[in-house]
Amino acid sequence: MTVTATSPPKTDERLANVGLVQILLRRPEIGALLGASVVWIFFAFIAPTNWLSINGVARILDPSSTLGIMAVAVALLMIGGEFDLSAGVMTGTTGLITGLLAVKLGMNIWPAMFISLLFALLVGYLNGLMVIKTGLPSFIVTLATFFILRGANVGVTRLVTNQVRVAGIDEAPGFYTARMIFNTEFTFLGAEFRTTILWWIAITVLATWVLQRTPWGSWIFAAGGDPNAARNVGVPANRVKIALFMTTASAAWLVGMMNDLRLRSAVASQGIGQEFVYIIAAVIGGCLLTGGYGSAIGASIGALIFGMARVGIVFAGWDTDWFFSFLGIMLLAAVLVNDYTRKQAEALAVARAKARTESEEAEP
Amino acid sequence: MLRTTRLTLVFVILGIVALVFAACAPAGQAPAQEAGAPAPEEAAPAEEAPAEQVAQTGLVFGLAVHDNPAESLFWGVVEKGARDAAETYGIELKSGGSLDPAEQAQLVETYIADGVDGLIVSLANPDALQDSVTKAVDAGIPVVTINSGVNVYKELGAITHVGQTEFVAGQGAGERFNAAGASKVMCVIHEEGNIGLEERCAGLEDTFQGEVVRFNVATTGTRDVAGTSASIQDKLIADSGIDGVLSLNPVIAMAALDAVQAAGGNQMLATFDLSPDVLDAIEAGDILFAIDQQQYLQGYLPVVFLYLYNTNLNTVGGGQPVLTGPGFVDASNAAQVKELAARGTR
């Protein structure tokens, strides 16, 4: 550092001049991108007619979109160093709350949706608060929330409807307006796409902007990387973490609403088991389980791989028996590529910095 | 050196992914899928055709059910029925399913985009599948609903429904429990969100003269059978008045049998649906009777019906559902049915 201070025209070694390839290799989403390309090319060979049609693209994006919305929110939280195992079941809880309010109280869909949003925000806030106050791993705290919500989903639904589902949400006033905004089909290039895809893209862009271009983004990385160090330099790590928990809860609310509006009904088991799928998508997308590293675009690509696998297996005419094995292999491959490229990029950067400092030390 | 080895490793793994899945594709199916829609000139090459030399029709049917057929004893038999019929008639069958209604709806829409010539859908959650099924009907794809959904299949425009009327089957169980002299029967519900199960219990309540209690084990269900068994045992200990147990699934029946025996073995046990284990237990006198909806037919018949619709525009049932049950299996016929169950068709 003293070297750079005394010789201003020389470049700062912290701002090393890196090539395009290296910039690409350093991106956390590179593994997911490679994985997605491999899967895409693979199915393009196996089932070209449907896979390469615009209809095929619409099919792939349908399951990817709601999963992608969750994966992005979960990725932000994971970069911030925490997990939310209640994210999956929360899609069911919010869906049931809205459904019960609309069907049993005859409420307009909008206030019903608003009330379930408030509930989601409250649960997200409590998750965050408990993690901060107790210092317990969020894995355990949100696992507890997961069980509480899972039980309440069945208990309350059965108590109110004497069944384990809420049907007939489409009779609520405002249903079709809400449906048009959150989850309807629109024709684009001759195929029917879902509006959930637009939400997904918007949320990915927003999350990427927050991560890369706002102080909140730096705080999230800092809070996940080393919360103590972050606090010492003035990052409001606690506030950031609570906000992140509230973000995953609101994303779950959004997906819960999208399910309600598409399916006209809500089932008490909705979303159970999905929490791990979100985490897997985020990890395929380059998030580290230890926090402090990852990307929103990567998580979206991770979700896209899921969507491609789901649709590709059908188009190829294989047994869907193999879906989970396929996911397992994808996860393993993506994580290996991530690990490899990251180490490669780090090694290159270290070697360059070393070479530079050595040559600079030799000069005077 | 080390780096190149690791890079090679990564590519080897990616290569394995490709190979594994290329190998998984059943021989003879690939050409037809690439065609997407039936295209006679792209029929399967002779060396890949099945040994029996069945003439391939080029028709593709999609089966979408509300559970993963690969992981479910019951749906495995339905899938086998559909596969056997597809093979007999020279049809390509795509099959799959999920407990998540959104995923099932997406699967149906994927089949539509894939250009299938017929759809077989179970309607455990009719609201959730309403849009997808309507979309198929609007696209001119004939739909046969199976298993659950007898009350709504007409509204949705399905050509027919193949299944058992759950309420009627439940009523049948109630009459059998009356004859056996039970006074308080527990109806064990193992899935969240399946109205068919609720209807079975409602049918039982309708005809059974004693008291019926519903007991929910959906939190463990068929995923954690030991947990389900333990819950049933706890319930039997807590409520000693229960002298009859009706399970709604063969796996749950075996869990309930363990629970009944652990709790003293004073309760009569009956179940919906068959499995080799259930048949053994009926032969041994541990299970009183099983209500058989002959689900093999729920896979086999829709393929035949869709084949006839595609080739001859026939519809079956005359506006009524085609019932595959309830049949009853008890000590009198268990042995014969057992032989068939071992083949995976009962």
Side-chain angles (χ1 to χ4, degrees):
Chain A
M1 280 216 259
T2 46
V3 179
T4 49
T6 50
S7 50
K10 280 222 165 57
T11 49
D12 187 336
E13 89 276 6
R14 292 169 303 178
L15 297 172
N17 199 5
V18 289
L20 182 67
V21 175
Q22 213 186 335
I23 291 179
L24 281 178
L25 282 180
R26 271 186 189 177
R27 296 296 312 155
E29 55 274 283
I30 190 70
L33 200 60
L34 280 178
S37 315
V38 169
V39 175
W40 190 83
I41 292 167
F42 179 59
F43 282 117
F45 275 107
I46 302 285
T49 319
N50 286 319
W51 191 253
L52 301 177
S53 73
I54 191 79
N55 240 329
V57 174
R59 290 312 316 139
I60 294 164
L61 294 181
D62 174 4
S64 308
S65 59
T66 43
L67 173 57
I69 291 169
M70 289 310 297
V72 167
V74 166
L76 292 186
L77 182 67
M78 282 174 71
I79 295 170
E82 305 292 344
F83 291 101
D84 186 356
L85 295 187
S86 67
V89 78
M90 181 61 94
T91 64
T93 307
T94 50
L96 289 166
I97 292 175
T98 304
L100 288 174
L101 290 174
V103 173
K104 290 290 153 186
L105 298 183
M107 232 186 226
N108 184 296
I109 197 83
W110 291 102
M113 283 167 64
F114 183 69
I115 291 170
S116 62
L117 174 62
L118 290 183
F119 179 83
L121 288 171
L122 178 71
V123 173
Y125 177 76
L126 290 177
N127 271 340
L129 198 67
M130 279 189 288
V131 168
I132 300 297
K133 291 287 172 208
T134 61
L136 287 169
S138 52
F139 201 86
I140 298 301
V141 172
T142 58
L143 186 64
T145 318
F146 162 73
F147 283 129
I148 293 168
L149 291 179
R150 184 177 176 171
N153 282 1
V154 183
V156 172
T157 313
R158 189 181 289 279
L159 206 64
V160 177
T161 65
N162 204 20
Q163 272 195 353
V164 282
R165 59 185 205 120
V166 187
I169 301 176
D170 50 340
E171 278 155 35
F175 178 86
Y176 287 95
T177 328
R179 187 178 227 215
M180 213 149 72
I181 293 168
F182 288 102
N183 198 353
T184 191
E185 288 180 316
F186 63 95
T187 309
F188 178 67
L189 298 175
E192 290 193 318
F193 289 86
R194 288 201 162 264
T195 39
T196 50
I197 299 164
L198 303 179
W199 282 91
W200 171 37
I201 294 169
I203 285 168
T204 308
V205 170
L206 179 71
T208 306
W209 178 75
V210 168
L211 277 180
Q212 305 290 340
R213 291 275 178 272
T214 68
W216 276 89
S218 322
W219 293 347
I220 292 170
F221 279 107
D226 186 342
N228 281 331
R231 271 182 212 108
N232 290 340
V233 295
V235 170
N238 290 353
R239 211 149 50 106
V240 168
K241 290 196 174 189
I242 290 177
L244 288 173
F245 277 109
M246 291 170 81
T247 306
T248 50
S250 346
W253 167 81
L254 182 61
V255 171
M257 295 309 100
M258 286 170 169
N259 280 334
D260 269 16
L261 294 167
R262 176 176 192 170
L263 305 176
R264 303 157 193 269
S265 60
V267 191
S269 59
Q270 192 85 48
I272 293 172
Q274 291 294 306
E275 57 281 346
F276 284 108
V277 177
Y278 308 150
I279 294 174
I280 292 167
V283 170
I284 290 178
C287 282
L288 285 187
L289 290 171
T290 46
Y293 188 81
S295 111
I297 295 180
S300 275
I301 300 174
L304 187 64
I305 292 179
F306 265 80
M308 288 202 286
R310 222 170 249 296
V311 174
I313 286 173
V314 173
F315 280 172
W318 301 336
D319 284 349
T320 36
D321 302 10
W322 292 94
F323 178 71
F324 286 106
S325 311
F326 186 89
L327 278 189
I329 294 170
M330 274 317 306
L331 177 65
L332 195 63
V335 171
L336 285 174
V337 173
N338 281 343
D339 188 54
Y340 170 76
T341 51
R342 195 174 52 249
K343 284 190 179 146
Q344 191 83 343
E346 279 168 7
L348 259 174
V350 168
R352 281 195 181 213
K354 212 180 210 174
R356 194 185 309 274
T357 23
E358 273 167 7
S359 67
E360 278 164 355
E361 275 166 5
E363 263 175 48
Chain B
M1 265 323 282
L2 187 68
R3 271 180 208 152
T4 35
T5 334
R6 289 195 15 223
L7 186 61
T8 319
L9 179 72
V10 168
F11 283 109
V12 164
I13 286 171
L14 291 177
I16 290 171
V17 178
L19 279 178
V20 164
F21 286 93
C24 293
Q29 285 198 6
Q33 303 130 22
E34 279 161 27
E41 70 277 11
E42 286 192 47
E47 72 272 16
E48 287 184 355
E52 299 108 59
Q53 296 293 326
V54 179
Q56 294 297 310
T57 57
L59 293 172
V60 183
F61 296 163
L63 172 73
V65 298
H66 64 270
D67 196 353
N68 183 352
E71 293 174 348
S72 155
L73 205 54
F74 179 88
W75 291 105
V77 175
V78 174
E79 193 186 33
K80 179 158 174 48
R83 282 205 189 290
D84 286 354
E87 202 175 303
T88 307
Y89 288 86
I91 288 157
E92 186 195 332
L93 181 81
K94 298 189 170 189
S95 73
S98 169
L99 280 168
D100 180 343
E103 278 177 20
Q104 195 194 355
Q106 285 167 348
L107 183 61
V108 170
E109 296 194 15
T110 301
Y111 287 146
I112 299 171
D114 197 33
V116 293
D117 306 289
L119 268 173
I120 306 161
V121 185
S122 68
L123 291 182
N125 195 332
D127 305 83
L129 283 151
Q130 181 181 334
D131 289 351
S132 308
V133 170
T134 311
K135 204 173 170 187
V137 172
D138 290 345
I141 300 171
V143 178
V144 172
T145 59
I146 58 168
N147 192 254
S148 313
V150 68
N151 302 320
V152 290
Y153 78 95
K154 275 188 208 163
E155 278 172 50
L156 297 188
I159 59 172
T160 190
H161 176 85
V162 180
Q164 131 178 299
T165 315
E166 305 293 2
F167 188 79
V168 172
Q171 286 179 316
E175 278 153 15
R176 291 245 167 177
F177 271 117
N178 284 338
S183 63
K184 186 173 185 181
V185 174
M186 171 166 84
C187 194
V188 185
I189 294 175
H190 63 273
E191 260 173 40
E192 290 152 353
N194 183 344
I195 48 169
L197 302 185
E198 311 274 345
E199 283 173 9
R200 289 174 179 178
C201 294
L204 174 71
E205 277 165 357
D206 186 57
T207 54
F208 183 58
Q209 286 155 357
E211 189 187 344
V212 173
V213 284
R214 293 189 190 195
F215 183 54
N216 178 11
V217 293
T219 48
T220 47
T222 53
R223 290 181 300 271
D224 173 10
V225 179
T228 299
S229 181
S231 308
I232 295 172
Q233 190 183 335
D234 296 342
K235 177 73 178 171
L236 292 177
I237 291 166
D239 188 346
S240 57
I242 294 172
D243 57 2
V245 178
L246 178 63
S247 70
L248 306 179
N249 167 298
V251 173
I252 305 296
M254 296 319 290
L257 179 57
D258 286 345
V260 164
Q261 286 173 344
N266 298 320
Q267 292 84 7
M268 288 176 267
L269 177 60
T271 184
F272 271 77
D273 304 330
L274 298 180
S275 71
D277 293 342
V278 166
L279 289 165
D280 281 340
I282 293 174
E283 268 196 308
D286 293 330
I287 293 182
L288 198 59
F289 64 90
I291 297 154
D292 184 11
Q293 62 173 300
Q294 309 185 95
Q295 73 270 30
Y296 183 79
L297 297 175
Q298 296 177 9
Y300 197 97
L301 292 179
V303 172
V304 178
F305 295 171
L306 288 171
Y307 169 78
L308 290 170
Y309 184 88
N310 267 283
T311 55
N312 205 30
L313 219 57
N314 287 133
T315 52
V316 184
Q320 298 293 317
V322 176
L323 297 187
T324 62
F328 289 91
V329 177
D330 54 22
S332 67
N333 59 355
Q336 292 143 288
V337 177
K338 198 171 130 185
E339 281 175 33
L340 299 167
R343 284 196 245 152
T345 59
R346 287 297 291 260

